[in-house]
Amino acid sequence: MDYSKFSKQELEEMLKIAQKELSKIGKRGISVDMSRGRPANDQFETVMPMLEDAAAYNYTLGGADARNYGGLGGIRQARELFGELLGLRAENVIVGDGSSLDLMYTAVAFAMQFGLRGETPWKDLNKVKFVCPAPGYDRHFAICEEFGIEMITVPMLEDGPDMDTVESLVEDDPSIKGIWCVPKYSNPTGIVYSDKVVERLATMKTAAKDFRIFWDNSYVIHGLYDNNDKLKNIFDVARKAGTFDRIYTFTSTSKITFAGAGVACMGASEENLVEFLKHLSIREICPNKVNQVMHVAFLKNVDNIKKIMAEHAKLLRPKFELVISRLTAEFAGDDFVKWTNPRGGYFISLDVRRCAKRIIELAKTVGVVFTPAGSTFPYHIDDGDSNIRIAPSVPSLEELSNAIDVLILAIKIARIELVLKKLYE
Ligand code: PMP
């Protein structure tokens, strides 16, 4: 659609019609929250049997009583299960409580306060910087902001971060201590890192000895289709390259069992885990191992988790497909609007030209809430004012359909406003 072909009068007329349509929808009194990647309530029915069977589980797995103190790094069976999921040995995994974000925050906090493997604590350095591929996960960026870590924005491409830029940054600057990565079904673009990108991350030269890749594998088994995409095992590459210490990985069952009440884990070299647990032992006596037993008993193994994830996918897939098909019907071939077509994860990433903020604002006036504009970029600075993160998991199909009506109208309005401004102001 080339709106610049129209006269001012025609554009104003089109704008009025779109505004009227939008307020008509507003009168339906819809309220749709698409701001966060949360499981929908019907997904929990799939995993409720875990709680129903809980009294019958064996809480003395391997001799120790999980109902008592002890076992700071989690129960052996949970470490094995997460190891299987992440492609690591149980020795390279510790299992904690419900949130992987908590473990990521804690890992940064320990590096800040105590330093890593004998290096200067980050808090005692003039400057600490992280590479932040963007669009990315807003809560990663929030951790950096909280600790005063300077963020360097690097473009996220279709096969992962722009590695030429990443390599040239980390090679020369010892104050760059980390990079955030969501390597599979990335938040928000849904891409999977290519083998080449994984290899380059694992083998690149870093000026900082205590450089860490925060490998947030939250969507490790969260495909929407039968054939889950394959992510190259970064630890295999790193082991060969002698860079195993560089990687911290994280995942959780927040989107397998219960969000906030699942089980989370961290994977790293044994030496890194020993250091991490030393600090952790001051903070807590042990994690909730009762929950770990429940998860191990219910989830069993990776093949069984795949079956559970197929149930989730059955509920999620139509929602993703509805959004994609409506956007395709409306904007296919139109350069002004672009969107991702993810094969997993919880998000669709939409890019427009210079009006994301206005679109999100317009949608909000009629009850459709998206993640605030700019959130997917460090410091909320989206130079192109382009990115909108769509989280389609929670609304019903009917709500989603209403929300997409709103989104399409909001895009039209914001776009005509832009053209009017450009041509006639
Ligand atoms: N990492 C990513 C990339 C996420 O999208 C989310 C949840 N939206 C989290 C971490 C948070 O996970 P948890 O519930 O394990 O803290």
Side-chain angles (χ1 to χ4, degrees):
M1 186 77 171
D2 183 1
Y3 284 96
S4 63
K5 281 195 209 136
F6 295 97
S7 71
K8 187 176 183 216
Q9 226 172 10
E10 283 169 326
L11 286 168
E12 282 170 347
E13 193 51 37
M14 288 157 96
L15 183 62
K16 247 192 234 152
I17 292 169
Q19 283 166 335
K20 240 192 215 157
E21 269 183 69
L22 187 68
S23 69
K24 211 162 102 192
I25 296 178
K27 288 195 186 105
R28 288 188 214 157
I30 55 176
S31 164
V32 186
D33 188 347
M34 303 171 81
S35 66
R36 307 283 344 161
R38 294 147 59 96
N41 291 349
D42 56 357
Q43 288 177 244
F44 298 128
E45 296 311 317
T46 308
V47 289
M48 282 307 286
M50 181 176 84
L51 301 184
E52 286 151 20
D53 298 343
Y57 297 146
N58 175 10
Y59 292 94
T60 57
L61 286 174
D65 195 322
R67 295 166 297 186
N68 215 332
Y69 280 138
L72 180 62
I75 64 168
R76 174 82 196 178
Q77 292 77 2
R79 295 168 72 179
E80 280 168 1
L81 181 59
F82 276 114
E84 193 191 342
L85 195 59
L86 293 169
L88 282 169
R89 291 181 313 136
E91 285 67 28
N92 294 113
V93 177
I94 57 171
V95 182
D97 289 322
S99 161
S100 61
L101 194 69
D102 178 351
L103 290 168
M104 292 176 228
Y105 182 100
T106 304
V108 173
F110 287 170
M112 273 283 163
Q113 186 64 29
F114 308 114
L116 298 174
R117 308 286 299 279
E119 298 295 313
T120 308
W122 293 356
K123 72 170 174 20
D124 297 332
L125 299 170
N126 277 338
K127 203 161 250 207
V128 174
K129 302 178 200 158
F130 264 43
V131 175
C132 298
Y137 180 36
D138 54 347
R139 293 187 193 274
H140 288 160
F141 305 151
I143 292 177
C144 282
E145 279 203 84
E146 171 98 326
F147 286 104
I149 296 173
E150 190 178 308
M151 290 181 271
I152 308 170
T153 305
V154 164
M156 183 64 125
L157 308 178
E158 286 191 3
D159 62 346
D162 173 359
M163 284 309 298
D164 289 344
T165 309
V166 173
E167 283 167 348
S168 70
L169 283 166
V170 301
E171 187 172 3
D172 294 328
D173 187 346
S175 68
I176 301 179
K177 300 293 188 190
I179 181 171
W180 291 111
C181 296
V182 183
K184 191 164 174 186
Y185 306 134
S186 175
N187 178 347
T189 61
I191 61 115
V192 180
Y193 285 20
S194 69
D195 290 1
K196 190 81 209 145
V197 166
V198 173
E199 283 158 17
R200 287 174 79 176
L201 282 163
T203 56
M204 66 191 178
K205 278 208 184 87
T206 64
K209 263 175 88 177
D210 49 354
F211 181 89
R212 293 289 179 271
I213 296 173
F214 285 73
W215 198 247
D216 176 355
N217 213 345
S218 273
Y219 300 105
V220 56
I221 194 157
H222 299 58
L224 289 167
Y225 297 89
D226 288 345
N227 46 343
N228 235 283
D229 292 65
K230 256 204 141 36
L231 172 70
K232 194 172 180 80
N233 186 331
I234 193 168
F235 286 102
D236 288 347
V237 188
R239 215 179 261 117
K240 276 193 204 123
T243 57
F244 200 90
D245 279 342
R246 165 186 303 183
I247 303 148
Y248 286 164
T249 190
F250 306 88
T251 195
S252 77
T253 68
S254 283
K255 285 156 190 161
I256 298 174
T257 56
F258 300 118
V263 176
C265 79
M266 173 175 174
S269 72
E270 283 170 66
E271 294 80 359
N272 279 345
L273 289 182
V274 165
E275 181 179 74
F276 187 86
L277 287 174
K278 188 182 93 190
H279 300 306
L280 198 70
S281 72
I282 307 299
R283 206 190 71 176
E284 68 188 48
I285 302 173
C286 69
N288 178 348
K289 301 192 304 303
V290 169
N291 199 27
Q292 293 185 12
V293 169
M294 286 163 55
H295 275 76
V296 168
F298 178 70
L299 297 176
K300 293 186 181 76
N301 52 46
V302 169
D303 275 344
N304 193 48
I305 297 177
K306 279 185 188 153
K307 284 186 199 146
I308 293 166
M309 295 314 284
E311 294 300 312
H312 286 302
K314 229 190 263 170
L315 298 167
L316 286 168
R317 208 163 41 229
K319 299 182 180 184
F320 278 77
E321 288 179 348
L322 176 67
V323 177
I324 304 285
S325 70
R326 294 288 312 279
L327 290 173
T328 306
E330 193 66 34
F331 299 114
D334 186 335
D335 256 6
F336 190 86
V337 192
K338 292 208 153 35
W339 59 93
T340 56
N341 193 351
R343 298 176 39 76
Y346 265 68
F347 304 99
I348 295 165
S349 177
L350 181 83
D351 279 311
V352 291
R353 291 202 191 147
R354 307 220 151 269
C355 55
K357 207 179 255 169
R358 179 68 178 137
I359 290 165
I360 290 170
E361 181 185 277
L362 282 164
K364 200 171 178 185
T365 60
V366 290
V368 177
V369 180
F370 293 98
T371 316
S375 297
T376 51
F377 285 79
Y379 308 108
H380 293 253
I381 300 172
D382 175 1
D383 280 332
D385 187 19
S386 66
N387 192 243
I388 298 173
R389 186 178 79 166
I390 303 175
S393 53
V394 168
S396 66
L397 284 171
E398 192 191 341
E399 288 170 329
L400 208 50
S401 181
N402 283 328
I404 300 305
D405 287 343
V406 167
L407 176 65
I408 289 170
L409 280 170
I411 293 173
K412 268 190 196 162
I413 292 169
R415 187 175 188 179
I416 299 171
E417 285 173 352
L418 265 189
V419 177
L420 277 168
K421 217 183 232 171
K422 199 168 128 202
L423 294 181
Y424 303 106
E425 265 186 21

